[in-house]
Amino acid sequence: MTGIEHLLRPDLRGATAYGAPQLDVPVRLNTNENSYPVPPEVAADLTAAVAAVATDLNRYPDREFTDLRAALAAYLTDTSTDHAVTVGPEQVWAGNGSNEVLQHLVLAFGGPDRTALGFTPAYSMHPIISGSVGTTWVDGLRGQGGTAFDLTAESAVAQVREHRPHLVFLCSPNNPTGTALDLDVVEAVYAAAERAVVVVDEAYAEFARPGTPSALTLLAGRPRLVVTRTMSKAFAFAGGRVGYLAADRALVDALRLVRLPYHLSSPTQAIAVAALRHASTLLGTVEVIKAQRDRIVERLAELGLDPVPSDANFVLFGGLADAAQTWRDLLDRGVLVRDVGIPHYLRVTAGTPAETDAFLGAMAEVAARATDRSAL
């Protein structure tokens, strides 16, 4: 940035852009992607969907992405259980990945002289997005009254009352810990944060263990509550860049004030609708991935490490003498995992059985050194 640093906004000077290593290695388990490729029959339908809109690319796309909102609402609606959820198209918003959806929320309800609160460690883009539009970020704390990464209702409410934020970010399941929130935490935070929009980031909701209810069940009667989701993870659609949210209609309407015109392209809308037609097929890998996740937790514990039980498609594991060195040792063996910046911890995505074999085999080779704190 030589020559222009002084022109940059003061709060951005010296900042580091978000980015995970994109390395050409045999086993990539660092970004929580779904390791399974899009099935050929689904890919064929996606190709046909793009072809169907290609001749109309001289026209702007549907600004209201009407078909996509209807398809997403139908996907979210579930009246088959005791935790019934009914979502209408008018309650749905979408963007180019959930990060754009989160950005719309901060643009609308954050900004200068406003504060956003999250509970660290959590998704690293929440503070980055907040800061990018001048919102003051507050790092809330976990582990108050529970285990190291738990967030209790009592602790969360106390922090909300202390900081009086305009936005509150909750992650369930949380990234990078994989831990899910009890809904009493969401309810308590919502009640305490009387002037705040409360955002529950459920990017990994489809991987949650049985009996883990979604915050979607709390939407009725809570006009300041938002639940964000993504098609990147469970749908194996990270390259499609489609994220979305469900909220009260009035809140969704407010997001039109800050979105760029025609922000969702015609091909994006077309492939997302097509993918949702194949939801059962694309979600068919979820149970296999969950089995690999649980296998990772079990085996890492046998190796003397400290894995965190997970409701996501990844596992955070601790007990490492030197996390950075263990990351390099795994990379030397062709396995890329994520150093999330928590001392003595790394995070690994649950992939295919073969990828899990490779990771666990590599960990078995480095486990003695990885857990030997006398080397420090």
Side-chain angles (χ1 to χ4, degrees):
M1 287 202 181
T2 304
I4 66 165
E5 184 80 13
H6 66 290
L7 302 177
L8 196 62
R9 275 173 26 201
D11 58 307
L12 295 179
R13 294 172 193 168
T16 301
Y18 173 88
Q22 290 186 307
L23 305 179
D24 185 13
V25 297
V27 182
R28 292 183 296 175
L29 300 174
N30 68 323
T31 53
N32 302 338
E33 295 162 318
N34 188 318
S35 291
Y36 291 88
V38 174
E41 67 274 20
V42 180
D45 200 8
L46 300 181
T47 302
V50 173
V53 300
T55 57
D56 291 326
L57 290 179
N58 59 310
R59 301 295 185 184
Y60 285 115
D62 174 10
R63 185 175 53 234
E64 296 304 314
F65 42 100
T66 308
D67 291 343
L68 177 55
R69 293 170 79 188
L72 288 168
Y75 169 69
L76 292 176
T77 294
D78 182 4
T79 58
S80 63
T81 68
D82 293 338
H83 302 288
V85 174
T86 301
V87 175
E90 71 282 356
Q91 294 178 265
V92 174
W93 189 253
N96 294 283
S98 61
N99 287 326
E100 184 176 51
V101 169
L102 293 167
Q103 184 184 57
H104 288 165
L105 289 166
V106 179
L107 283 168
F109 301 105
D113 302 320
R114 294 198 168 199
T115 299
L117 170 67
F119 300 93
T120 306
Y123 183 39
S124 60
M125 283 303 298
H126 292 159
I128 291 173
I129 292 170
S130 297
S132 71
V133 297
T135 306
T136 299
W137 177 262
V138 176
D139 269 321
L141 300 175
R142 291 177 176 268
Q144 309 298 297
T147 60
F149 299 120
D150 281 346
L151 180 63
T152 66
E154 180 182 15
S155 171
V157 166
Q159 294 179 72
V160 164
R161 288 175 176 163
E162 176 184 358
H163 298 291
R164 300 190 69 245
H166 300 85
L167 283 155
V168 180
F169 289 96
L170 301 168
C171 278
S172 185
N174 185 49
N175 178 14
T177 65
T179 47
L181 284 177
D182 290 333
L183 291 188
D184 66 339
V185 177
V186 180
E187 292 177 290
V189 167
Y190 185 89
E194 296 180 354
R195 70 175 186 176
V197 170
V198 178
V199 182
V200 184
D201 188 331
E202 289 191 347
Y204 301 93
E206 287 91 348
F207 298 102
R209 287 171 286 185
T212 305
S214 166
L216 290 168
T217 61
L218 302 178
L219 283 178
R222 292 182 174 88
R224 294 179 288 106
L225 182 64
V226 181
V227 179
T228 64
R229 293 280 189 97
T230 183
M231 295 183 71
S232 293
K233 310 301 182 181
F235 275 84
F237 214 60
R241 309 308 304 132
V242 180
Y244 58 100
L245 64 75
D248 184 81
R249 179 174 186 166
L251 191 149
V252 169
D253 286 344
L255 301 181
R256 291 183 175 84
L257 300 174
V258 296
R259 58 102 176 262
L260 293 175
Y262 311 105
H263 70 288
L264 279 176
S265 74
S266 297
T268 297
Q269 295 182 42
I271 62 172
V273 171
L276 287 162
R277 287 198 296 268
H278 296 276
S280 60
T281 298
L282 290 171
L283 296 175
T285 62
V286 167
E287 292 304 318
V288 179
I289 292 169
K290 289 166 66 175
Q292 297 309 306
R293 172 199 68 197
D294 296 341
R295 178 185 166 205
I296 291 169
V297 170
E298 180 179 1
R299 180 59 179 144
L300 289 181
E302 293 172 353
L303 291 173
L305 294 159
D306 184 21
V308 179
S310 175
D311 280 288
N313 69 335
F314 58 82
V315 176
L316 183 74
F317 60 100
L320 301 170
D322 185 338
Q325 183 60 55
T326 302
W327 183 88
R328 289 190 292 269
D329 289 343
L330 291 171
L331 186 60
D332 288 342
R333 289 161 175 80
V335 179
L336 178 62
V337 299
R338 186 71 174 267
D339 186 341
V340 294
I342 303 175
H344 309 299
Y345 281 86
L346 293 172
R347 191 193 71 195
V348 59
T349 305
T352 65
E355 289 173 331
T356 301
D357 288 343
F359 165 69
L360 292 176
M363 275 307 308
E365 292 179 10
V366 306
R369 176 179 177 180
T371 58
D372 182 10
R373 291 179 178 264
S374 67
L376 294 179

